[in-house]
């Protein structure tokens, strides 16, 4: 969670994966000429997971997360909330401990340049098109309800 929060305010750029956009190094810079990390929703999630040791042979997007990762009705902080339709999950955010959600929010597939509203930020309540939750792939498999309550 801290790694994701460290990117708060970073620009949302569709296909942004951190320092790369669609497989090429990006050229976005702040007002002082410093290169910016840029993210789309799944790019932020996978950027964080990879820095924590997670590996995948395929490029993950929200739809693959929805179809491949274990679902849960009782999300824990760090798990993911997904939005869209079952046939096309289109957005992912991170569940935070305080009930908010965090992610690259406010952009879409046509967002190719930084804007004031499209950035890595908090959301107070979920969008109307919630599909459900998936378990963070780095969460231990042996987490049970009893273990969670005892912590």
């Amino acid at each position: 969670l801290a790694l994701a929060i460290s990117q708060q305010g970073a620009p949302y750029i569709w296909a942004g994966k951190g320092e790369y956009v669609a497989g090429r190094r990006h050229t976005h810079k702040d007002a002082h000429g410093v290169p910016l990390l840029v993210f789309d929703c799944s790019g932020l999630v996978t950027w964080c997971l990879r820095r924590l040791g997670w590996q995948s042979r395929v490029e993950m997007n929200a739809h693959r997360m929805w179809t491949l990762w274990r679902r849960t009705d009782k999300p824990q902080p760090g798990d993911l909330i997904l939005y869209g339709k079952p046939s096309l999950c289109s957005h992912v955010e991170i569940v935070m401990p305080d009930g908010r959600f965090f992610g690259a929010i406010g952009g879409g597939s046509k967002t190719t340049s930084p804007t004031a509203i499209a950035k890595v930020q908090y959301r107070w309540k979920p969008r109307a098109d919630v599909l459900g939750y998936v378990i963070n792939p780095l969460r231990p498999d042996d987490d049970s309800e009893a273990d969670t309550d005892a912590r």
Side-chain angles (χ1 to χ4, degrees):
L1 298 175
L3 190 57
I5 292 168
S6 75
Q7 297 305 307
Q8 186 170 2
Y12 177 108
I13 301 290
W14 188 74
K17 307 297 179 204
E19 61 187 52
Y20 292 92
V21 175
R24 297 186 319 251
R25 276 197 178 277
H26 71 83
T27 58
H28 300 288
K29 298 183 181 194
D30 70 8
H32 306 288
V34 177
L36 296 170
L37 295 181
V38 296
F39 299 98
D40 67 6
C41 62
S42 60
L44 176 65
V45 170
T46 57
W47 181 85
C48 291
L49 290 172
R50 285 191 172 122
R51 269 141 195 83
L52 295 170
W54 176 80
Q55 297 178 10
S56 175
R57 291 185 208 169
V58 297
E59 188 66 38
M60 295 305 283
N61 59 35
H63 189 72
R64 284 194 181 123
M65 291 173 191
W66 176 247
T67 58
L68 297 176
W69 293 354
R70 289 184 306 139
R71 296 181 191 166
T72 183
D73 292 332
K74 297 181 180 179
Q76 296 179 17
D79 287 342
L80 307 172
I81 183 170
L82 291 114
Y83 302 91
K85 302 174 189 169
S87 61
L88 182 59
C89 176
S90 59
H91 186 66
V92 60
E93 295 170 4
I94 303 166
V95 176
M96 301 305 285
D98 62 2
R100 294 186 290 175
F101 305 96
F102 191 79
I105 298 169
S109 62
K110 293 186 168 106
T111 308
T112 57
S113 296
T115 69
I117 62 168
K119 59 188 172 188
V120 176
Q121 59 189 311
Y122 284 96
R123 182 188 305 275
W124 283 99
K125 59 183 181 175
R127 297 181 345 188
D129 61 340
V130 173
L131 274 173
Y133 299 90
V134 298
I135 295 172
N136 179 323
L138 295 178
R139 179 163 33 121
D141 285 336
D142 61 356
D143 267 6
S144 68
E145 293 293 318
D147 291 339
T148 302
D149 293 340
R151 287 186 203 151

